């Protein structure tokens, strides 16, 4: 390989040759993603169907002379579009800051000397000098290894480090099995190595995956689909209103121009401008809430898609686990070593045996194993300092002896410590251990079945035989909050599938600890033998997939989506990016790779699955609040339009004044609907199954309830107007009944299933209702407003009738909900 690239590994490239190759091959970095411009963000927001309908309605109103109403509709579009654009822009800026903050450097050999260069200047033929803690700058062929242990989790998902080898890999080896190669983005957790760089930038394995992603495959979110459906319904309603109004006008002998104007005005009134405002407020403030919890929202509609998620494909490393090695146990043939002096002694011997631990005393950077040992020692209340002056010799693992060997002085005693793979240390010490060897072999076999990384430690004084000290097991431990988070997901009817590149035993152990069913672990190879029909049958019972490749994860996502599932995928590595790109909700880790973050809808600041579940809970709350707000808004419009329609049919030329309609729509509707954003999660919300993707937010039952509630208000208001004589005072009485009824309806519909007295209070919504009551009572006593609204004070009897009309639907709804029925007030 070195010869093919024209480089002597002992001297590296010449500086001028490296510069020439940089010009030929280009920088060692992936092409930065094309960020959407503000104009593109604005265009995407403006071309939403509901926004287009609002713009059309506003423009038509202005053309027809209803300038005030038209301008109000057009002005109302501004904050809706602005919230969407601002959130997207902020998220893109945050991602760019993450990318710039993580620009790495690399150590290479040039002109026979080690030099540090920006990683983007590494070229094919460079000899990368890698030590514990380093991130590999580009793909390379290993030419020297001194106990190098590679963490390949960003590519394979397997968290347990693997050793590197100089000898060639078998032809056709899977990426996870290639020991002679190091890949960009992976890291050394122990030892050191040298590698001749063979591929940089887009030609690396990371670059190949990034190139394969293409444009994200996004479906419209449930709310977007709901608003699309609402647009279609409204267009039908508007057309019907035009036909009815124009038809009645002709029957009454009104001029054709006046008839057409009245019909179009009725159609404009049928288009509520509030739903997009409601959605923008709830999603915009929801994004702020999530950001405070450590979740960066890149796309607003991803939040409400969370509420419909019924399948989560989660990786293991860094999401369920800490993504760091910890001491899982210390063992001898007599059993597990409990805490106290024996445990501390075993850990201290293991630490002294690690060459990396002594090197860290000088350089300040230790590998994963020494760090884990030192943390375990600190937990025991002991943290020995390795004095460099006491070190006699330190030999890292090499081909001659594949173990770490340290000789050090402790007072007058000179001790030798070795650590390494159990089979290597057993072979080294077998003739000294004698009859105990079989017991140690049995112990190693037993612990190897648990899927942990094992380190065997042996010691001796200068003139004595080797003594096996302890077998130390390392694992990537589960985050403490994960079990509760998984239980919450399962209780909410969400299927959780852990997809990992780890060994099946390791995967089963972590899944079982997390509360994910681990009685059956399917491997990627086994899954690859199933056709799509078989995999579709197996998917509902799938919980753990081990030794999975990126293609396996992507196949699961695409198959589940074809089956109508709503899928969230979590991941941090390059290997996760294809599946993230194709999911409904892509969730990346803040500490993960740039490729994963670019493919994501949400980025988790602390990388935890539990944080994601908090976001999913928030998504359910938001979608429930949007539903309640839409129910309120549409029932209000049904009441207003129904009243106008039936009053017109009854012969009233102008049932409501324009300023009264404006007051109802602009102040009452908006103030009440925005208050729904403060509505807290309903009791038992996370014990309900996800809403099926095909089920509309406002289904036929809800729309029927909305029509009945709004229709009752319309007919009751008309009855009051008829009883009061049909003059201006009667109109004000009817309008007051509609306005107060709206405020009561808002509070009564805080839940469609649960009685109000079982819900926590919503102070914002109560305040909005109180303001409506006070304003409605005060208007007749304020001359300018009384004149504009043609309002006159109501007497006690009239207020009693208003209260009866407003409270009756709410009382019936509470009674029905107490009996376990869904009811719209």
């Amino acid at each position: 390989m070195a010869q093919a690239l024209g480089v002597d590994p002992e001297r590296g490239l010449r500086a001028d040759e490296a510069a020439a190759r940089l010009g030929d091959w280009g920088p060692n970095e992936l092409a930065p993603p094309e960020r959407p411009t503000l104009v593109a963000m604005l265009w995407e927001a403006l071309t939403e169907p509901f926004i287009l309908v609002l713009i059309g309605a506003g423009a038509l109103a202005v053309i027809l002379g209803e300038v005030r109403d038209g301008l109000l509709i057009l002005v109302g579009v501004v904050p809706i579009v602005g919230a969407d654009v601002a959130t997207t822009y902020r998220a893109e800026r945050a991602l760019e800051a993450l990318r710039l903050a993580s620009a790495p450097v690399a150590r290479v050999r040039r002109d026979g000397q080690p030099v540090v260069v920006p990683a983007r200047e590494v070229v094919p033929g460079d000899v990368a000098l890698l030590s514990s803690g380093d991130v590999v700058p580009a793909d390379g062929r290993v030419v020297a290894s001194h106990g190098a242990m590679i963490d390949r989790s960003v590519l394979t998902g397997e968290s347990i480090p693997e050793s590197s080898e100089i000898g060639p890999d078998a032809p056709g080896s899977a990426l996870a099995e290639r020991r002679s190669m190091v890949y960009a983005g992976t890291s050394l957790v122990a030892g050191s190595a040298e590698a001749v760089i063979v591929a940089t930038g887009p030609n690396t394995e990371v670059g190949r995956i990034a190139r394969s992603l293409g444009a994200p495959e996004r479906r419209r979110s449930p709310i977007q689909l709901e608003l699309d459906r609402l647009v279609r319904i409204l267009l039908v309603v508007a057309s019907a209103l035009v036909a009815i109004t124009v038809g009645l006008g002709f029957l009454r002998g009104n001029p054709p121009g006046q008839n057409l104007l009245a019909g179009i005005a009725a159609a404009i009134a049928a288009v509520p401008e509030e739903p997009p405002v409601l959605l923008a407020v709830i999603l915009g403030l929801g994004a702020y809430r999530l950001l405070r919890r450590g979740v960066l929202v890149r796309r607003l509609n991803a939040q409400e898609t969370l509420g419909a998620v019924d399948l989560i494909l989660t990786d293991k490393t860094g999401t369920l686990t800490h993504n760091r090695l910890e001491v899982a146990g210390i063992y001898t043939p007599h059993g597990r070593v409990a805490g106290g002096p024996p445990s501390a002694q075993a850990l201290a011997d293991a630490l002294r045996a690690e060459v990396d631990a002594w090197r860290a005393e000088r350089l300040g950077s230790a590998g994963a194993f020494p760090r884990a040992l030192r943390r375990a020692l600190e937990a025991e209340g002991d943290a020995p300092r390795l004095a460099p002056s006491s070190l006699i010799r330190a030999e890292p693992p090499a081909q001659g002896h594949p173990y770490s060997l340290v000789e050090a002085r402790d007072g007058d005693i000179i001790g030798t410590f070795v650590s390494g793979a159990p089979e290597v240390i057993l072979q080294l010490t077998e003739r000294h251990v004698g009859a105990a060897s079989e017991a140690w072999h049995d112990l190693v076999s037993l612990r190897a079945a648990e899927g942990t990384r094992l380190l065997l430690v042996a010691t001796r004084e200068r003139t004595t035989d080797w003594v096996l000290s302890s077998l130390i097991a390392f694992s990537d431990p589960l985050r403490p909050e994960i079990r509760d988070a998984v239980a919450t997901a399962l209780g909410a009817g969400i299927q959780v599938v852990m997809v990992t590149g780890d060994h099946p035993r390791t995967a089963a152990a972590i899944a079982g600890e997390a509360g994910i069913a681990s009685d059956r672990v399917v491997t990627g190879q086994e899954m690859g033998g199933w056709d799509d029909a078989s995999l579709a049958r197996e998917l509902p019972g799938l919980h753990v997939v081990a030794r999975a490749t990126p293609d396996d994860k992507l196949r699961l996502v695409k198959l589940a989506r074809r089956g109508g599932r709503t899928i969230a995928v979590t991941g941090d590595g390059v290997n996760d990016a294809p599946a993230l790109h194709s999911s409904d909700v892509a969730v990346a880790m803040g500490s993960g790779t740039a490729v994963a973050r670019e493919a994501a809808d949400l980025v988790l600041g602390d990388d935890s699955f539990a944080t994601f579940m908090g976001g999913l809970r928030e998504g359910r709350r938001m979608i429930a609040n949007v539903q309640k707000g839409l129910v309120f808004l549409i029932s209000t419009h049904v009441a207003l339009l129904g009243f106008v329609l039936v009053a017109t049919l009854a012969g009233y030329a102008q049932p409501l004044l324009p300023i009264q309609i404006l007051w109802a729509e602009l102040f009452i509707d908006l103030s009440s609907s925005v208050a729904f954003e403060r509505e807290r999660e309903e009791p038992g919300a996370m014990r309900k199954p996800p809403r099926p993707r095909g089920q509309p937010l406002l289904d036929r039952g809800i729309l029927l309830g909305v029509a009945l509630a709004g229709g009752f208000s319309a007919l009751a208001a008309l009855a009051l107007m008829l009883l009061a004589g049909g003059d201006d005072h009667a109109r004000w009485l009817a309008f007051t009944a509609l306005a107060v009824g709206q405020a009561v309806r808002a509070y009564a519909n805080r839940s469609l299933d649960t009685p109000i007295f079982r819900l926590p209070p919503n102070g914002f919504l109560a305040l909005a209702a109180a303001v409506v009551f006070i304003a409605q009572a005060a208007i007749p006593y304020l001359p300018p407003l009384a004149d504009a609204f043609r309002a006159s004070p109501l007497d006690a009897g009239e207020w009693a009738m208003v209260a009866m009309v407003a409270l009756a639907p709410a009382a019936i709804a509470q009674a029905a909900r107490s009996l376990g029925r869904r009811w719209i007030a």
Side-chain angles (χ1 to χ4, degrees):
M1 182 62 67
Q3 186 176 3
L5 290 167
V7 63
D8 176 5
E10 296 298 324
R11 290 198 55 79
L13 293 174
R14 299 191 315 273
D16 59 341
E17 177 63 17
R21 293 189 183 194
L22 182 62
D24 292 338
W25 291 91
N28 175 40
E29 61 184 3
L30 302 182
E34 185 177 339
R35 302 290 181 193
T37 64
L38 280 174
V39 172
M41 296 179 198
L42 185 62
W43 177 255
E44 183 178 0
L46 285 171
T47 51
E48 281 293 314
F50 213 109
I51 299 298
L52 290 175
V53 169
L54 289 180
I55 293 173
L60 193 56
V62 172
I63 293 171
L64 294 171
E66 300 290 338
V67 177
R68 180 178 58 187
D69 290 351
L71 290 179
L72 282 171
I73 292 175
L74 293 175
V75 169
V77 169
V78 174
I80 304 168
V81 173
D84 197 354
V85 172
T87 301
T88 304
Y89 180 74
R90 181 181 61 194
E92 295 297 337
R93 288 286 301 272
L95 281 179
E96 183 66 13
L98 278 174
R99 187 182 73 84
L100 295 176
S102 59
V105 295
R107 198 159 62 97
V108 297
R109 181 179 291 128
R110 289 182 180 172
D111 294 318
Q113 298 296 322
V115 294
V116 176
V117 299
R120 69 186 305 277
E121 295 181 8
V122 171
V123 296
D126 261 328
V127 179
L129 308 177
L130 307 170
S131 59
S132 180
D134 287 348
V135 175
V136 179
D139 293 359
R141 176 74 160 79
V142 177
V143 294
S145 176
H146 305 289
M149 303 293 293
I150 312 295
D151 176 1
R152 298 184 175 90
S153 60
V154 298
L155 276 176
T156 66
E158 184 168 2
S159 61
I160 302 299
E162 298 287 352
S163 60
S164 64
E165 298 176 2
I166 299 176
D169 296 307
S173 297
L175 187 145
E177 306 297 333
R178 298 175 197 167
R179 300 288 179 263
S180 68
M181 293 290 295
V182 290
Y183 293 98
T186 62
S187 58
L188 265 71
V189 297
S192 60
E194 297 181 10
V196 175
I197 299 302
V198 299
T200 60
N203 298 316
T204 61
E205 191 69 22
V206 171
R208 182 190 69 79
I209 294 174
R211 287 199 312 274
S212 71
L213 297 180
E217 182 187 346
R218 299 289 175 205
R219 290 190 292 195
R220 291 183 69 74
S221 69
I223 289 294
Q224 286 176 315
L225 293 173
E226 190 67 29
L227 291 183
D228 291 350
R229 176 171 169 264
L230 191 54
V231 165
R232 292 194 295 271
I233 293 172
L234 289 172
L235 290 176
V236 172
V237 170
S239 300
L241 281 173
V242 170
I244 292 171
T245 306
V246 172
L248 285 174
F250 277 113
L251 289 175
R252 290 173 180 165
N254 296 334
Q258 182 180 338
N259 290 339
L260 184 60
L261 185 61
I264 294 176
I268 292 172
V271 179
E273 61 271 18
E274 303 93 348
V277 177
L278 171 74
L279 188 61
V281 168
I282 289 181
L283 297 187
L285 291 179
Y288 175 71
R289 290 174 186 270
L290 288 176
L291 187 61
R292 292 177 63 184
R293 292 186 178 189
V295 182
L296 172 66
V297 178
R298 293 192 65 204
R299 297 177 183 91
L300 276 181
N301 60 24
Q303 299 171 92
E304 45 91 5
T305 307
L306 280 172
V309 166
D310 61 359
L311 172 63
I312 299 174
L313 301 184
T314 178
D315 65 339
K316 175 186 73 69
T317 306
T319 306
L320 301 181
T321 66
H322 284 287
N323 195 20
R324 71 166 186 247
L325 288 181
E326 297 285 0
V327 173
I330 305 169
Y331 305 93
T332 71
H334 302 294
R336 184 172 184 136
V337 178
S343 174
Q345 183 61 52
L347 291 168
D349 287 346
L351 187 66
R352 291 188 181 97
E354 288 290 317
V355 174
D356 271 352
W358 294 87
R359 183 186 293 123
E361 293 295 327
R362 292 186 296 105
L363 302 178
S365 175
F369 291 113
R371 288 200 301 270
L373 290 167
R374 191 170 288 280
R375 282 193 295 268
L377 274 166
E378 289 171 353
E380 293 283 352
D382 188 9
R385 180 171 175 78
L386 305 179
S389 60
S390 67
L391 181 64
I392 298 173
R393 67 182 173 123
E395 299 179 7
Q399 286 184 299
H401 61 91
Y403 49 81
S404 175
L405 183 148
V406 171
E407 190 174 2
R409 183 180 289 103
D410 184 7
D412 296 331
I413 301 174
I414 295 178
T416 306
F417 307 85
V418 294
S419 66
E423 60 273 16
V424 172
I425 303 301
L426 285 171
Q427 184 178 1
L428 172 70
T429 61
E430 195 156 15
R431 66 186 182 88
H432 300 285
V433 177
S437 176
E438 184 176 351
W440 281 97
H441 275 283
D442 291 343
L443 173 64
V444 169
S445 299
L446 177 65
R447 295 303 162 193
E450 297 174 348
T452 55
R453 182 78 187 180
L454 299 176
L455 199 68
L456 188 56
V457 181
T459 65
R460 72 174 179 181
E461 295 182 9
R462 176 164 283 181
T463 58
T464 61
D465 291 338
W466 286 108
V467 175
L468 288 172
S469 171
S470 60
L471 180 70
I472 301 180
F474 296 84
S475 68
D476 181 9
L478 191 76
R479 292 174 180 265
E481 69 276 12
I482 294 303
R483 191 171 184 87
D484 287 343
V486 170
T488 299
L490 298 178
I494 301 170
Q495 181 184 356
V496 179
V497 181
M498 187 180 82
V499 184
T500 177
D502 271 325
H503 190 281
R505 288 194 298 265
T506 305
I510 290 294
E513 192 179 351
I516 301 172
S518 57
D519 52 329
R520 181 192 179 198
V521 176
V522 175
T523 65
Q525 184 177 10
E526 181 182 356
M527 199 177 80
W530 297 340
D531 59 21
D532 285 353
S534 299
L535 182 56
R537 287 194 300 270
E538 294 283 350
L539 181 59
L542 208 60
H543 301 289
V544 183
V545 181
R547 290 298 191 204
T549 66
D551 290 341
D552 293 329
K553 198 168 186 178
L554 180 60
R555 184 185 175 206
L556 280 171
V557 172
K558 290 186 173 181
L559 188 76
R561 286 184 67 170
R562 285 203 299 270
R565 307 287 296 271
T566 301
I567 306 128
V569 174
T570 74
D572 60 352
V574 176
N575 60 313
D576 298 309
L580 288 170
H581 230 61
S582 299
S583 64
D584 292 295
V585 181
V587 186
M589 309 300 120
S591 65
T593 61
V595 174
R597 293 197 301 265
E598 292 297 338
D601 300 307
L602 309 176
V603 179
L604 304 181
D606 65 357
D607 299 357
S608 175
F609 181 86
T611 299
F612 167 60
M613 282 306 300
L616 190 144
R617 180 187 289 270
E618 180 70 11
R620 284 200 173 189
R621 186 191 71 85
M622 283 189 288
I623 201 168
N625 289 347
V626 169
Q627 182 188 51
K628 297 167 194 174
L630 288 176
V631 165
F632 165 66
L633 292 172
I634 295 173
S635 64
T636 296
H637 274 266
V638 169
L640 288 173
L641 291 172
F643 175 73
V644 170
L645 184 60
V646 296
T648 301
L649 291 173
Y652 289 97
Q654 195 174 25
L656 291 177
L657 298 174
I659 192 171
Q660 292 172 338
I661 295 176
L662 188 63
W663 160 256
E665 292 191 353
L666 184 63
F667 179 76
I668 300 176
D669 284 7
L670 286 181
S671 62
S672 300
S673 63
V674 167
F676 277 109
E677 194 282 327
R678 301 289 298 183
E679 194 64 39
R680 283 185 270 177
E681 180 184 289
E682 289 189 36
M686 290 302 289
R687 293 192 296 273
K688 296 177 181 177
R691 183 171 58 89
R693 183 162 192 105
Q695 179 181 323
L697 198 59
L698 303 179
D699 57 29
R700 289 183 180 179
I702 290 178
L703 289 176
L704 178 60
V706 166
L708 290 174
F712 170 83
S713 296
L715 293 174
L718 178 63
L720 290 181
M721 190 163 71
L722 291 173
L723 286 174
D727 56 7
D728 283 347
H729 180 77
R731 179 167 53 195
W732 177 251
L733 173 63
F735 176 67
T736 299
L738 289 171
V740 173
Q742 284 176 243
V744 172
R745 180 180 294 113
Y747 206 85
N749 285 329
R750 291 177 54 219
S751 171
L752 306 184
D753 304 289
T754 306
I756 290 176
F757 54 80
R758 295 181 189 169
L759 300 175
N762 183 334
F764 277 75
L765 196 51
L767 178 62
V771 168
V772 171
F773 299 153
I774 294 170
Q776 200 68 25
I779 285 174
Y781 298 98
L782 301 173
L785 292 178
D787 290 341
F789 281 88
R790 297 184 191 175
S792 53
L794 305 181
D795 60 30
E798 289 170 330
W799 275 113
M801 288 189 290
V802 167
M804 183 176 64
V805 169
L807 293 173
I812 294 171
Q814 302 317 307
R817 292 167 192 166
S818 297
L819 298 175
R821 295 190 61 186
R822 167 171 285 192
W823 200 273
I824 310 296

